[in-house]
Amino acid sequence: MPVMHFLIRWPDGVEANCYSPSTVVGEYFAAGESYTVGDFVARSREALNIGSERVREKYGFACSAALDQLARIEEDAGRFSEAHDARVTVLALD
C-alpha cells in the first residue's frame, strides 16, 4: 500500500511528521491549509481509521502504526484543549 506522510505545525510552533498507511489523508487535508485543533483531530481520526481498515482489508489485520499515530495526535492536541481558536497547519503532504 502506498504510505503518505503529512508534516504539521501545532499552534505552539512544534512541527511533527505524521504517518498514514494510505493516501486517504490527501482527501482530508491540503498542504498550506490550517484547521482548528478539533477539526484536525476529527479529520485525522477519520482518515487514519480508514487507512487502517484498508490495511485490514488487504492483509487481514489493522495498521497499528496508523492507530499509534492517531493516539499521538490526540495526545498532542490535548495541550490546546483550552485554546478553542488554536489552529494546526498542514505544511506538506508526501
Side-chain angles (χ1 to χ4, degrees):
M1 294 194 76
V3 302
M4 183 173 253
H5 291 89
F6 50 114
L7 179 64
I8 63 168
R9 182 182 310 122
W10 289 102
D12 59 2
V14 172
E15 293 183 5
N17 190 30
C18 301
Y19 167 85
S20 170
S22 168
T23 58
V24 70
V25 296
E27 298 172 22
Y28 288 82
F29 299 116
E33 293 294 320
S34 67
Y35 307 87
T36 65
V37 172
D39 185 33
F40 176 76
V41 170
R43 288 170 181 259
S44 296
R45 186 176 296 121
E46 190 166 342
L48 291 170
N49 279 316
I50 290 170
S52 180
E53 285 305 308
R54 287 182 179 176
V55 170
R56 181 188 309 276
E57 290 170 7
K58 185 167 184 172
Y59 298 106
F61 52 85
C63 180
S64 61
L67 301 177
D68 290 345
Q69 180 64 71
L70 177 56
R72 281 192 296 279
I73 287 171
E74 291 173 334
E75 181 179 338
D76 289 345
R79 299 192 318 254
F80 309 102
S81 61
E82 300 298 319
H84 301 292
D85 58 345
R87 300 184 74 79
V88 178
T89 302
V90 175
L91 301 173
L93 296 163
D94 63 33

